[in-house]
Amino acid sequence: MVVALDAEIAAALAPVREAMKGVPPPAPGDWRARRELFGAAITAQAALWTAPDGVVVTPCAAPAEDGAAIPMRLYRPAEVRSPALAVHLHGGGMFLGGLDTHDSRCRAYAGLSGVPLLSVGYRLAPEHPHPVPVRDCYAALRWAVANAPGLGVDPSRIAVMGDSAGGGLAAGVALLARDRGGPAPAAQILIQPMLDDRTTVAHPDLDGVATWTAADNLTGWTCLLGRSAGGPDTPGHAAPARAADLRGLPPAYIETGQLDLFREEDIGYADRLGRAGVPVELVQYPGVPHAFDTFAPAAAVSRRAVAGRVLALQGL
């Protein structure tokens, strides 16, 4: 039985789909065309997000393992209600997106929750394939912990948070921190996370509703991993669903959509975390595709999703 698309999300997507009718989809593997096409769409949709007034944004940078400077932005709400902090990792399939594409939502999360966010401009694949992106994000976490006193932050209450590819990177950072014995995140907030490089075939229910397709996903993983994507030797730090041992990881909040290409891998990861003794909160929103809130942030289901993320931040 095919699940119906949420009515408000369908209405928001209708003009987008109409505009795309005359545009042939990029060929599988064509990341340049996707970076241009999706980057423009994400930037345009970001204007739909609104945030409370008074969020102060401060540019900063962290040193990467190879000495490069990783650009970041610190978002401090007008009323800081907690000594916690979330290190925010933007989505974009591993090959697009940046500080600007997620600026409005970072303002919203900080302003609504009262919890500061540190947004990370990690380097993108394919110019910087694995392990550069996840190591950049881990370096940002280490920087946040080292600078916690000056930020007015409790270093034991710093979480990692991300959507889509950023959710996968947040999960990868949690694994990398555990395996290196580095600073452990207080929590991992994974929003529709991209976790498994073997997910290259779409479920039939996604025909005509997918906003991130199997071809898009294969392109993203190939950018990150090259020809080894989908093969037997993908490391867990790159694709967290591949990690054999999930014990000792921080508590997780995981969100997915019923019509998301990542639905099965997200639910499967949540189940494995729970079986490994990790506290997990799993939320599935009905009748919505990947990044549904990007296209319709004012829809009822999107407002519920944002409220859930805000509560996860306030629980740090």
Side-chain angles (χ1 to χ4, degrees), residues 117-217:
L117 264 69
L118 181 69
S119 184
V120 182
Y122 61 87
R123 287 172 285 180
L124 300 174
E127 297 93 337
H128 302 282
H130 179 75
V132 173
V134 72
R135 289 184 179 177
D136 280 2
C137 297
Y138 178 61
L141 171 65
R142 289 176 55 86
W143 182 92
V145 172
N147 290 273
L151 298 173
V153 168
D154 180 344
S156 69
R157 296 175 68 177
I158 298 176
V160 286
M161 172 184 189
D163 65 287
S164 194
L169 287 166
V173 167
L175 286 161
L176 188 60
R178 180 200 64 181
D179 295 344
R180 287 192 175 184
Q188 46 185 329
I189 301 172
L190 313 181
I191 301 168
Q192 306 156 38
M194 179 179 177
L195 299 170
D196 197 331
D197 61 312
R198 296 164 295 187
T199 305
T200 56
V201 179
H203 191 279
D205 283 1
L206 301 184
D207 289 346
V209 301
T211 53
W212 182 256
T213 68
D216 299 331
N217 205 44

Side-chain angles (χ1 to χ4, degrees), residues 52-58 73-85 106-107 110-111 114-118 148-153:
D53 294 332
V55 176
V56 177
V57 184
T58 305
R73 291 176 186 169
L74 178 66
Y75 294 80
R76 290 187 65 86
E79 181 185 356
V80 177
R81 304 171 195 165
S82 167
L85 174 78
C106 285
R107 291 175 185 268
V115 175
L117 264 69
L118 181 69
L151 298 173
V153 168

Side-chain angles (χ1 to χ4, degrees), residues 14-48:
V16 178
R17 298 195 186 283
E18 184 64 28
M20 294 300 293
K21 277 186 177 178
V23 181
D30 189 348
W31 60 269
R32 291 179 178 86
R34 283 178 171 82
R35 182 178 284 178
E36 181 177 354
L37 180 66
F38 292 162
I42 293 173
T43 300
Q45 298 299 323
L48 300 175

